Amino acid sequence: MDDHTCARETKNRLANRKWLACKLVKKLRKYPNLRHSDAAQYFKTKCDLELNKSSLTRALGDARYVVYGDAAAQYGMVRDYGLTLLKSNPGSTVTVGVIPQPNPDDDPIFEKMYVCLEGCKKRFLAGCRAFIGLDGAFLKTRHGGQILSVIGQDANNHIYVIAYVIVPVKNTENWRWFLELLHQDLGDYKKNKLCLISYMQKVCNIYRLSLKMMFIHWAADYIC
């Protein structure tokens, strides 16, 4: 069989702006901080395409508008989402905090949101261990923010989500707001004999245990 001697073609007219943007939308949803060089490398590796900078820039701009535009528009539907939760889960608690604008005619800006579903609340009080863990994580999106969660532990030692909030930053004020609403939903933690532990306490306990084990081994070797 004769060896191919024709040059490899890395240009394709069918790879137009619309097609490129469609491909990049999927990548941006998975990698929100996708850079221009990353997109170029993706098409080079995946599709064997070498794209000029202007074409890729326009396509990446279109894809970002689709992804980030959709995300921004969804904040305008937060109240509808909350009402839907209350309608489908009677007895739940959904609280939305907003930042009012100087002009009364302007829509307020979303700030934070608290969600505690009735089913999760009742099942936790009825059948889970009297243990509550507090934790938080960053939301890796263009709009940022953090999600704070309160979790329990069921009889099978599985994680059980009780409530969660979306806040701009994890600080004392937002934790207080979160726990005050949780207190209203679950009742007095002393009366219900609930034990609360934060993610920082877990680290400290492990650190103290490590120090204790180090001292035991050191004492066994050097103390008569």
Side-chain angles (χ1 to χ4, degrees), residues 2 104 129 135 164 172:
D2 296 335
R129 304 179 189 275
D135 203 355
Y164 63 90
T172 303

Side-chain angles (χ1 to χ4, degrees), residues 32-223:
N33 297 320
L34 183 72
R35 298 177 299 178
H36 189 282
S37 58
D38 298 330
Q41 183 62 33
Y42 165 74
F43 285 113
K44 175 64 177 176
T45 305
K46 191 75 174 179
C47 308
D48 198 19
L49 287 174
E50 290 184 0
L51 305 170
N52 62 66
K53 188 174 182 179
S54 59
S55 298
L56 187 56
T57 299
R58 288 192 293 268
L60 192 56
D62 293 344
R64 283 173 175 160
Y65 178 78
V66 172
V67 176
Y68 300 147
D70 289 349
Q74 288 175 6
Y75 280 98
M77 298 186 288
V78 167
R79 288 194 182 278
D80 293 334
Y81 172 69
L83 292 174
T84 302
L85 287 178
L86 294 175
K87 183 178 180 180
S88 58
N89 301 270
S92 300
T93 303
V94 178
T95 303
V96 178
V98 297
I99 302 174
Q101 297 301 295
N103 187 352
D105 296 332
D106 293 338
D107 294 330
I109 299 176
F110 173 83
E111 182 185 18
K112 52 191 176 183
M113 183 177 187
Y114 168 88
V115 177
C116 181
L117 301 179
E118 174 68 10
C120 295
K121 176 173 54 178
K122 289 179 63 177
R123 296 298 181 271
F124 170 74
L125 294 174
C128 289
R129 304 179 189 275
F131 168 86
I132 292 179
L134 311 176
D135 203 355
F138 289 97
L139 295 175
K140 297 182 179 180
T141 64
R142 185 184 185 187
H143 301 283
Q146 296 193 38
I147 179 169
L148 308 180
S149 60
V150 172
I151 60 174
Q153 194 175 46
D154 62 17
N156 295 321
N157 293 327
H158 293 164
I159 292 176
Y160 187 91
V161 179
I162 306 168
Y164 63 90
V165 295
I166 306 297
V167 293
V169 64
K170 181 169 57 178
N171 56 21
T172 303
E173 180 183 353
N174 285 326
W175 271 117
R176 182 182 294 111
W177 179 75
F178 185 13
L179 295 178
E180 286 176 352
L181 290 172
L182 184 70
H183 179 81
Q184 296 174 15
D185 280 323
L186 299 184
D188 189 354
Y189 74 95
K190 292 183 179 179
K191 181 179 179 181
N192 293 323
K193 298 181 180 180
L194 299 176
C195 176
L196 280 75
I197 183 171
S198 72
Y199 65 99
M200 290 185 292
Q201 286 175 301
K202 182 178 180 181
V203 173
C204 290
N205 288 337
I206 294 174
Y207 181 69
R208 285 195 292 267
L209 180 60
S210 299
L211 289 178
K212 181 178 179 181
M213 295 304 297
M214 288 174 60
F215 175 78
I216 292 174
H217 290 301
W218 178 81
D221 292 337
Y222 297 101
I223 298 179

